[in-house]
């Protein structure tokens, strides 16, 4: 079982819709969870992080964490074409080393 | 805040030569930096953890004598790819960690694209 798994996509949504990105992790000792956005040819950009069970909202982005199910998700409301990118889920234990999933390619169609 | 720079942004070198990549934290001090490598259509793979003033910690399978890391100050870490070969061609990305709320957040540099001919 891979440490961090993401639905590989590609995921395609129309402009204005909600995009839902999912991630599961295998290590129950994971404590911190991150979502990064990576445009083609660029380095990852931190979008959100979450440490506690529940929801965390920041603008159009909502991260959801369920440690019992070892599941973390990212919702993007009112998706824009500029949101088209690869979204990377990353998890960390207390030693701050990040383990990345393979990423989900999101395309928002105008 | 939390800006990380890398230099150069791209480099082409001949097989057998060495290439040095610099990673700087511009507006904060980073006791810990990380070096990643990313091949096309793959995720980031951690190569090593760079700690200021001490030896780097390499991930399994990464040759420490080939990928030399120096973290001479709280704002600068360098990665030197020695005797580069075409299979070392990749996108090299550094990150710097900031402690926030009991955990560490990593901010990435813009990356260096290395092509070995």
């Amino acid at each position: 079982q891979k440490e961090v798994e993401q639905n590989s996509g590609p995921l395609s949504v129309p402009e204005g819709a909600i995009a839902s990105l999912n991630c599961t992790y295998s290590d129950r000792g994971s404590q911190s969870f991150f979502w990064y956005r990576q445009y083609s040819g660029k380095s990852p950009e931190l979008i959100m992080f979450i440490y506690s069970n529940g929801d965390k909202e920041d603008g159009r982005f909502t991260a959801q964490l369920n440690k019992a199910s070892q599941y973390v998700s990212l919702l993007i409301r009112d998706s824009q074409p500029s949101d088209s990118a690869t979204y990377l889920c990353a998890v960390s234990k207390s030693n701050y080393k990040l383990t990345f999933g393979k990423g989900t390619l999101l395309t928002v169609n105008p | 805040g939390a800006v990380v720079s890398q230099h150069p942004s791209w480099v082409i070198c001949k097989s057998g030569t060495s290439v040095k990549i610099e990673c700087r934290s511009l507006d904060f001090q980073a006791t810990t930096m990380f070096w990643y490598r990313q091949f096309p259509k793959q995720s980031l793979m951690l190569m090593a953890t760079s700690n200021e003033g001490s030896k780097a910690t390499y991930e399994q399978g990464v040759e420490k004598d080939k990928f030399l890391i120096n973290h001479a100050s709280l704002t600068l870490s360098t990665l030197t790819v020695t005797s580069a070969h075409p299979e070392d061609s990749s996108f090299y990305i550094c990150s710097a960690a900031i402690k926030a709320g009991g955990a560490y957040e990593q901010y990435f540099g813009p990356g260096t694209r290395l092509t070995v001919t």
Side-chain angles (χ1 to χ4, degrees):
Chain A
Q1 181 186 7
K2 294 178 182 175
E3 292 187 60
V4 180
E5 291 203 56
Q6 296 182 243
N7 44 342
S8 57
L11 176 65
S12 182
V13 300
E15 184 174 356
I18 296 175
S20 177
L21 303 160
N22 304 313
C23 174
T24 58
Y25 58 95
S26 61
D27 190 339
R28 284 195 174 274
S30 300
Q31 297 182 0
S32 307
F33 307 87
F34 303 84
W35 282 100
Y36 286 86
R37 175 174 62 196
Q38 186 175 27
Y39 292 111
S40 180
K42 304 294 185 181
S43 67
E45 170 192 9
L46 180 64
I47 298 176
M48 290 193 70
F49 54 88
I50 186 167
Y51 309 137
S52 305
N53 277 328
D55 295 0
K56 180 181 179 182
E57 187 174 317
D58 184 0
R60 296 186 294 112
F61 300 96
T62 299
Q64 299 174 317
L65 174 62
N66 184 324
K67 289 187 178 180
S69 300
Q70 295 174 246
Y71 172 89
V72 59
S73 67
L74 179 70
L75 299 178
I76 306 175
R77 291 181 299 280
D78 189 23
S79 297
Q80 302 297 309
S82 58
D83 294 327
S84 298
T86 295
Y87 288 80
L88 300 169
C89 171
V91 304
S92 175
K93 299 175 75 168
S94 59
N95 63 355
Y96 55 70
K97 191 189 295 188
L98 289 178
T99 301
F100 284 87
K102 283 195 168 183
T104 299
L105 177 61
L106 171 67
T107 300
V108 180
N109 300 305
Chain B
V3 179
V4 178
S5 71
Q6 272 185 251
H7 178 81
S9 55
W10 61 270
V11 57
I12 301 173
C13 71
K14 291 187 176 181
S15 185
T17 61
S18 295
V19 174
K20 180 187 283 188
I21 302 170
E22 292 186 350
C23 176
R24 293 181 185 272
S25 56
L26 298 185
D27 52 359
F28 64 100
Q29 293 183 331
T31 54
T32 301
M33 292 184 174
F34 302 88
W35 287 96
Y36 294 84
R37 181 167 53 181
Q38 186 177 35
F39 292 106
K41 298 194 183 301
Q42 295 190 22
S43 192
L44 281 76
M45 294 301 295
L46 179 65
M47 299 175 66
T49 302
S50 171
N51 298 297
E52 187 268 337
S54 65
K55 290 183 178 180
T57 303
Y58 290 82
E59 294 300 298
Q60 192 173 6
V62 178
E63 299 175 57
K64 62 180 181 181
D65 295 328
K66 181 172 181 62
F67 299 99
L68 302 179
I69 292 173
N70 185 292
H71 196 150
S73 75
L74 288 171
T75 59
L76 173 64
S77 176
T78 61
L79 168 68
T80 301
V81 183
T82 63
S83 186
H85 291 284
E87 57 265 30
D88 297 323
S89 299
S90 188
F91 191 40
Y92 291 86
I93 313 172
C94 73
S95 72
I98 299 176
K99 191 170 185 179
Y104 287 85
E105 299 166 21
Q106 287 190 32
Y107 293 87
F108 287 85
T112 297
R113 193 161 301 281
L114 170 64
T115 302
V116 184
T117 61

